[in-house]
Amino acid sequence: MTEHQVLSRDDKNMGLAVHLASFSGYLIPFGSVLGPLIVWLMKRDEIDFVDSCGRNCLNFKISMMIYILISTILVFIGIGLILLGVLAIFDIVVTIIAAMKATEGISYQYPMAIKFFS
């Protein structure tokens, strides 16, 4: 997805929905992956922008789950609690940035995301 394509308002809103759906993880176990996955699977074949946003979001959220698992293990040596707090703040901030970019029609490349879906 390039920044030069003209996207409809609905396309941008669906891209936004992918990113915002990840906040369901703060209420539902694995919701941070399941929310974007559901939106992505519903619209990825219809809207290229949603396909791009979904891949980027899922790559990041799965990466975050791995980082959180590692931090949880590190709780036993003391540094894990600090890492968990930093990861939570980082997750919220970059997800908000990604959502704002989606409203501009830009598919945001999350930092620290492992490429599971390319």
Side-chain angles (χ1 to χ4, degrees), residues 13-32:
N13 286 341
M14 288 308 299
L16 174 66
V18 168
H19 297 294
L20 294 182
S22 69
F23 284 123
S24 64
Y26 287 99
L27 301 173
I28 303 167
F30 302 104
S32 62

Side-chain angles (χ1 to χ4, degrees), residues 15-105:
L16 174 66
V18 168
H19 297 294
L20 294 182
S22 69
F23 284 123
S24 64
Y26 287 99
L27 301 173
I28 303 167
F30 302 104
S32 62
V33 173
L34 292 176
L37 180 64
I38 291 168
V39 177
W40 179 60
L41 290 175
M42 288 182 353
K43 294 294 184 177
R44 71 178 175 179
D45 295 329
E46 299 171 32
I47 306 169
D48 289 337
F49 182 62
V50 172
D51 185 40
S52 177
C53 287
R55 288 175 191 271
N56 291 334
C57 186
L58 287 169
N59 284 333
F60 178 70
K61 295 304 177 175
I62 293 169
S63 299
M64 286 298 293
M65 287 178 67
I66 292 168
Y67 303 145
I68 289 169
L69 177 65
I70 292 167
S71 297
T72 302
I73 294 168
L74 292 176
V75 164
F76 297 108
I77 61 170
I79 189 78
L81 285 176
I82 295 168
L83 289 175
L84 286 170
V86 169
L87 285 173
I89 293 168
F90 178 70
D91 179 39
I92 292 168
V93 169
V94 297
T95 302
I96 290 170
I97 292 170
M100 291 182 347
K101 293 289 185 183
T103 62
E104 298 170 8

Side-chain angles (χ1 to χ4, degrees), residues 9-10 16 61 77 84 114 116 118:
R9 183 176 200 76
D10 288 338
L16 174 66
K61 295 304 177 175
I77 61 170
L84 286 170
I114 302 166
F116 297 103
S118 55

